[in-house]
Amino acid sequence: MKNSRLMILAILLLAGILITQLNQIRNLDKQLRQAKADLKQTKLSHKKSETIVSSPQSQQDNVSGSTKIVTSFVKTFSNQPTSSYPEILKGMASQKGINELTQTFAPSVTFSDKAHYDVPLVAIKNGWGSDLNYLVVVKSDVQSVAYAITYDIDEKKVTNMSRLTLKGAFDNEK
């Protein structure tokens, strides 16, 4: 009788351990899949970094071309009516960027039909990587406006914008 009770107790204990181990196998499997995905992403990121470091001329060409596109983008939207943004900016910016520009920034800046805006300053903050960060100043006879613009080299589009306040040399608003 004692032996059968001990045997039942041992079987229950082993069954509990077995169930716990099976449950941990599922959790470990999930962790393994996540680790493999992280490793794959890290390898891709490392490969991009390796490419940039091994071919600085290529990255310099990317930055030069991107700067021209960002300058053209800013000249286009600052000298066109807001209603035409979805058509004229379609290949230059992401849909999020166009919507943000149309709904947020354009109404806060007076883009008149008679005013002509120049782009006296396009400065790059970060020239390495697939996302380039620019500071762009747009200036007319009446006002100056500054934007922080993110350009994605892979997508070849402006992906993000924010308007900045100007103090100093470019601040000629009355």
Side-chain angles (χ1 to χ4, degrees), residues 1 5-6 10 15-16 23 40 42 46 52 54 67 90 100 105 115 117 122 128 135 137 140 151-152 155 161:
M1 186 89 156
R5 285 185 184 172
L6 284 175
N23 192 25
K40 185 177 180 181
T42 302
H46 179 70
I52 290 170
S54 66
T67 303
K90 192 165 192 116
E100 207 169 292
F105 301 124
Y117 287 84
V122 178
W128 297 102
L135 168 68
V137 175
S140 75
Y151 181 84
D152 189 334
E155 290 184 35
M161 297 182 64

Side-chain angles (χ1 to χ4, degrees), residues 1-2 8 14 16-17 23-24 32 43 45 48 71-72 75 92 100-101 107 120 123 136 145-146 164:
M1 186 89 156
K2 280 187 175 184
I8 292 173
L14 288 174
I17 291 172
N23 192 25
Q24 284 186 354
L32 177 63
K43 282 183 179 180
S45 177
K48 262 188 188 175
T71 304
S72 173
K75 283 182 180 178
M92 301 170 102
E100 207 169 292
L101 182 64
V136 181
V145 184
L164 307 171

Side-chain angles (χ1 to χ4, degrees), residues 28-92:
L28 290 173
D29 191 40
K30 287 179 186 175
Q31 289 176 0
L32 177 63
R33 278 183 280 174
Q34 182 61 43
K36 283 182 179 180
D38 291 347
L39 178 62
K40 185 177 180 181
Q41 184 63 34
T42 302
K43 282 183 179 180
L44 283 172
S45 177
H46 179 70
K47 188 175 181 180
K48 262 188 188 175
S49 298
E50 210 171 56
T51 302
I52 290 170
V53 170
S54 66
S55 60
Q57 183 60 43
S58 170
Q59 183 65 14
Q60 186 177 5
D61 293 344
N62 283 338
V63 169
S64 177
S66 301
T67 303
K68 289 176 185 172
I69 292 170
V70 167
T71 304
S72 173
F73 169 76
V74 172
K75 283 182 180 178
T76 301
F77 85 74
S78 62
N79 290 307
Q80 298 293 326
T82 310
S83 60
S84 66
Y85 288 173
E87 295 117 29
I88 61 173
L89 301 177
K90 192 165 192 116
M92 301 170 102

Side-chain angles (χ1 to χ4, degrees), residues 77 97 100-109 111 147 161-163:
F77 85 74
E100 207 169 292
L101 182 64
T102 304
Q103 297 168 4
T104 307
F105 301 124
S108 65
V109 180
F111 291 127
Y147 294 100
M161 297 182 64
S162 60
R163 184 168 178 220

Side-chain angles (χ1 to χ4, degrees), residues 2-28:
K2 280 187 175 184
N3 285 341
S4 65
R5 285 185 184 172
L6 284 175
M7 195 71 126
I8 292 173
L9 182 63
I11 290 172
L12 288 174
L13 183 62
L14 288 174
I17 291 172
L18 183 63
I19 291 171
T20 304
Q21 293 300 319
L22 290 174
N23 192 25
Q24 284 186 354
I25 287 174
R26 279 188 236 127
N27 290 338
L28 290 173

